[in-house]
Coordinates of all heavy atoms in Angstrom, one line a residue:
W1 N 2.0 -7.6 7.5 CA 2.3 -7.6 8.9 C 3.7 -7.1 9.2 O 4.5 -6.8 8.2 CB 2.2 -9.0 9.5 CG 2.9 -10.1 8.7 CD1 2.4 -10.8 7.6 CD2 4.2 -10.6 8.8 NE1 3.3 -11.6 7.1 CE2 4.4 -11.5 7.8 CE3 5.2 -10.3 9.7 CZ2 5.7 -12.2 7.7 CZ3 6.4 -10.9 9.6 CH2 6.6 -11.9 8.6
L2 N 4.0 -6.9 10.4 CA 5.4 -6.5 10.8 C 5.8 -7.5 12.0 O 4.9 -8.1 12.6 CB 5.5 -5.1 11.3 CG 5.4 -4.0 10.3 CD1 5.2 -2.6 10.9 CD2 6.7 -3.9 9.4
F3 N 7.1 -7.6 12.3 CA 7.5 -8.4 13.4 C 6.8 -7.8 14.7 O 6.8 -6.6 14.9 CB 9.0 -8.3 13.6 CG 9.8 -8.8 12.5 CD1 10.8 -8.1 11.9 CD2 9.5 -10.1 11.9 CE1 11.6 -8.6 10.9 CE2 10.2 -10.6 10.9 CZ 11.3 -9.8 10.3
S4 N 6.1 -8.7 15.4 CA 5.3 -8.2 16.5 C 6.1 -7.6 17.6 O 5.5 -6.8 18.4 CB 4.5 -9.4 17.1 OG 5.4 -10.4 17.6
E5 N 7.4 -7.9 17.7 CA 8.1 -7.3 18.8 C 8.7 -5.9 18.6 O 9.3 -5.3 19.4 CB 9.3 -8.3 19.2 CG 8.8 -9.6 19.7 CD 8.0 -9.5 21.0 OE1 8.7 -9.3 22.1 OE2 6.8 -9.6 21.0
I6 N 8.5 -5.4 17.4 CA 9.0 -4.0 17.1 C 8.2 -3.1 18.0 O 7.0 -3.2 18.1 CB 8.8 -3.7 15.6 CG1 9.6 -4.6 14.7 CG2 9.1 -2.2 15.4 CD1 9.4 -4.4 13.2
P7 N 8.8 -2.2 18.7 CA 8.1 -1.2 19.6 C 7.1 -0.4 18.9 O 7.2 -0.1 17.7 CB 9.3 -0.3 20.1 CG 10.5 -1.2 20.0 CD 10.3 -2.0 18.8
A8 N 6.0 -0.2 19.6 CA 4.8 0.5 19.0 C 5.2 1.8 18.4 O 4.7 2.2 17.3 CB 3.7 0.7 20.0
E9 N 6.1 2.6 19.0 CA 6.4 3.9 18.5 C 7.2 3.8 17.2 O 7.1 4.7 16.4 CB 7.3 4.7 19.5 CG 8.6 4.0 20.0 CD 8.4 3.1 21.1 OE1 7.3 2.6 21.4 OE2 9.5 2.7 21.7
E10 N 7.9 2.7 17.0 CA 8.6 2.5 15.7 C 7.7 1.9 14.7 O 7.7 2.3 13.5 CB 9.8 1.6 15.9 CG 10.9 2.2 16.7 CD 12.2 1.4 16.7 OE1 12.7 1.0 15.6 OE2 12.6 1.0 17.8
R11 N 6.8 1.0 15.1 CA 5.8 0.4 14.1 C 5.0 1.5 13.4 O 4.6 1.3 12.3 CB 4.9 -0.6 14.9 CG 5.6 -1.8 15.4 CD 4.7 -2.6 16.3 NE 3.6 -3.1 15.6 CZ 3.6 -4.3 15.0 NH1 4.6 -5.0 15.0 NH2 2.5 -4.7 14.4
A12 N 4.6 2.5 14.2 CA 3.7 3.5 13.6 C 4.3 4.2 12.4 O 3.5 4.6 11.5 CB 3.4 4.6 14.7
G13 N 5.6 4.2 12.2 CA 6.2 4.9 11.1 C 6.7 3.9 10.0 O 7.3 4.4 9.0
L14 N 6.3 2.6 10.1 CA 6.8 1.6 9.2 C 5.6 1.2 8.3 O 4.5 1.1 8.7 CB 7.4 0.4 9.9 CG 8.6 0.7 10.7 CD1 9.0 -0.6 11.5 CD2 9.8 1.1 9.9
T15 N 6.0 0.9 7.0 CA 5.0 0.2 6.1 C 5.0 -1.3 6.4 O 6.1 -1.9 6.4 CB 5.4 0.5 4.7 OG1 5.4 1.9 4.4 CG2 4.4 -0.2 3.7
P16 N 3.9 -1.9 6.6 CA 3.9 -3.3 6.9 C 4.5 -4.1 5.7 O 4.4 -3.7 4.5 CB 2.4 -3.7 7.0 CG 1.8 -2.4 7.5 CD 2.5 -1.3 6.8
F17 N 5.1 -5.2 6.0 CA 5.6 -6.1 5.0 C 4.4 -6.5 4.1 O 3.3 -6.7 4.5 CB 6.2 -7.4 5.6 CG 7.4 -7.1 6.5 CD1 7.4 -7.8 7.7 CD2 8.4 -6.3 6.2 CE1 8.5 -7.6 8.6 CE2 9.4 -6.0 7.0 CZ 9.5 -6.7 8.2
S18 N 4.8 -6.7 2.8 CA 3.8 -7.2 1.8 C 4.3 -8.6 1.4 O 5.2 -8.7 0.5 CB 3.7 -6.3 0.6 OG 2.9 -6.7 -0.4
V19 N 3.7 -9.7 1.9 CA 4.3 -11.0 1.8 C 3.3 -11.9 1.0 O 2.2 -12.2 1.4 CB 4.5 -11.6 3.2 CG1 5.0 -13.1 3.0 CG2 5.4 -10.8 4.1
P20 N 3.8 -12.3 -0.3 CA 3.0 -13.2 -1.0 C 3.0 -14.6 -0.3 O 4.0 -15.0 0.2 CB 3.8 -13.3 -2.4 CG 4.7 -12.1 -2.4 CD 5.0 -11.8 -0.9
R21 N 1.9 -15.2 -0.3 CA 1.8 -16.5 0.4 C 0.9 -17.5 -0.4 O -0.1 -17.1 -0.9 CB 1.2 -16.3 1.8 CG 1.1 -17.7 2.5 CD 0.7 -17.5 4.0 NE 0.5 -18.9 4.5 CZ -0.3 -19.1 5.6 NH1 -0.9 -18.1 6.2 NH2 -0.4 -20.3 6.0
F22 N 1.5 -18.6 -0.6 CA 0.9 -19.7 -1.4 C 0.7 -20.9 -0.5 O 1.4 -21.9 -0.6 CB 1.7 -20.0 -2.6 CG 2.1 -18.7 -3.4 CD1 3.3 -18.0 -3.2 CD2 1.2 -18.1 -4.3 CE1 3.6 -16.9 -3.9 CE2 1.5 -17.0 -5.0 CZ 2.7 -16.3 -4.8
H23 N -0.4 -20.8 0.3 CA -0.7 -21.9 1.2 C -1.1 -23.2 0.4 O -1.8 -23.2 -0.6 CB -1.9 -21.5 2.1 CG -2.5 -22.7 2.8 ND1 -1.9 -23.3 3.9 CD2 -3.7 -23.4 2.6 CE1 -2.7 -24.3 4.3 NE2 -3.7 -24.3 3.6
R24 N -0.5 -24.3 0.9 CA -0.9 -25.6 0.4 C -1.2 -26.6 1.5 O -0.6 -26.5 2.6 CB 0.3 -26.2 -0.4 CG 0.9 -25.3 -1.6 CD -0.1 -25.2 -2.7 NE 0.4 -24.3 -3.8 CZ 0.0 -23.1 -4.0 NH1 -1.0 -22.5 -3.3 NH2 0.5 -22.4 -5.0
T25 N -2.1 -27.5 1.3 CA -2.4 -28.4 2.4 C -1.3 -29.4 2.6 O -0.4 -29.5 1.7 CB -3.7 -29.3 2.0 OG1 -3.4 -30.1 0.8 CG2 -4.9 -28.4 1.7
L26 N -1.3 -30.1 3.7 CA -0.2 -31.1 3.9 C -0.2 -32.2 2.8 O 0.8 -32.6 2.3 CB -0.4 -31.7 5.3 CG 0.7 -32.7 5.7 CD1 2.0 -32.1 5.8 CD2 0.3 -33.3 7.1

């Protein structure tokens, strides 16, 4: 994903973040 507020014209030229996520229950 990318920060949602980045303008569309800039987002088009960016590689989305690659974020490892290790979800755990509460």
Side-chain angles (χ1 to χ4, degrees):
W1 48 273
L2 287 167
F3 299 132
S4 61
E5 295 297 284
I6 297 175
E9 61 273 17
E10 292 188 55
R11 292 170 65 88
L14 297 174
T15 301
F17 301 133
S18 176
V19 179
R21 183 171 170 206
F22 307 97
H23 166 72
R24 306 290 182 253
T25 66
L26 184 59

